[in-house]
Amino acid sequence: MAVVGWAYELAESLLAEPLPRRWAHTRGVAGRAESLAPALGDDAEALVAAAVLHDIGYAPAVALTGFHPLDGARHLRTLPVVDERVVRLVANHSFALLEAEERGLRESLAAEFPQLDDELLVDALVYSDMTTTPDGLPTTSYARVDEILGRYGTDSVVGRFIRRAAPAIHESVARVRALGREAGLDL
C-alpha cells in the first residue's frame, strides 16, 4: 500500500498544522476504511487512499472555490501518482454532488469528475466518512448528520445539503454494515 503511505504524508502536510481537528477526522475516516479492507480485496488500497485524502480540499493551500471535494480533487488531479478512481472518489465523497448543486457547482463537478460507477467503493467511503466524528471517533450516521446540522445550521448551504443527502447516507451505511456482517467484520 505504497499509495496509502504517500496519501498519509500529503494529507498530514496539508492538514495537521492548520486544521488539526480536520486531520483527526481524516485519520479516523482512514481507520474506518482500513477496517473494511478484508471485504474489499483489491479495491482496499483505493478506498483507504481516498479516505485519507477526502478532506484535503479544506487545506488553506488547496482551497480555491471553498467547496472542499472539488478543490481537493483538482489538486489531486495535478499529481501524477494519484489513481483516477481515488480522485473521483474524493470529488464525489458523501454525496458531494448534492452539495455542489446547493453551491451552483454541480455542472462543474459532474463534468470534471464523473461519479465512480462502483457502488461498493462509493458506499464504503460514505460509511467511513459519515460514521466518524470531527474528532476522529466512531459514531452512527444519524448522530453524524445531527452533528453537521448543529455545527452548520439547518438553513446553511451545508445544512440544506445534508438534510437532502441524509436518506442516501443512511442507506449507504446500512449496505456497508450488511456487507461487513457477511464478511464477518465487526462494524
Side-chain angles (χ1 to χ4, degrees):
M1 287 199 173
V3 172
V4 171
W6 173 87
Y8 268 107
E9 288 177 15
L10 177 64
E12 182 176 19
S13 74
L14 291 169
L15 296 172
E17 189 176 313
L19 302 168
R21 192 171 190 214
R22 184 66 54 189
W23 177 232
H25 169 73
T26 295
R27 291 191 321 268
V29 172
R32 297 292 259 185
E34 288 168 1
S35 75
L36 298 173
L40 294 175
D42 293 340
D43 289 332
E45 185 175 49
L47 172 64
V48 176
V52 172
L53 298 168
H54 83 286
D55 274 353
I56 65 165
Y58 281 114
V62 175
L64 297 175
T65 68
F67 180 47
H68 78 278
L70 185 59
D71 291 339
R74 283 177 173 168
H75 180 72
L76 291 172
R77 180 176 56 195
T78 69
L79 306 173
V81 299
V82 185
D83 180 294
E84 178 67 19
R85 291 185 315 157
V86 172
V87 174
R88 289 169 60 191
L89 282 166
V90 168
N92 290 287
H93 75 273
S94 300
F95 301 97
L97 202 56
L98 293 175
E99 185 174 347
E101 187 174 302
E102 291 287 335
R103 294 176 178 273
L105 295 169
R106 183 183 177 100
E107 289 179 20
S108 295
L109 182 63
E112 288 182 55
F113 305 102
Q115 290 189 44
L116 196 63
D117 189 24
D118 186 330
E119 186 177 87
L120 177 57
L121 273 178
V122 170
D123 281 350
L125 187 54
V126 170
Y127 167 84
S128 300
D129 185 23
M130 298 307 295
T131 63
T132 304
T133 69
D135 297 311
L137 301 173
T139 190
T140 67
S141 60
Y142 292 92
R144 179 80 162 114
V145 166
D146 287 346
E147 180 276 322
I148 292 168
L149 285 169
R151 188 165 22 120
Y152 289 95
T154 58
D155 292 327
S156 69
V157 168
V158 175
R160 289 190 307 271
F161 145 70
I162 204 69
R163 284 187 286 125
R164 288 179 58 206
I169 289 167
H170 302 317
E171 290 169 9
S172 285
V173 169
R175 285 190 296 269
V176 171
R177 287 193 190 283
L179 173 72
R181 282 191 298 278
E182 291 173 17
L185 302 176
D186 184 24
L187 305 178

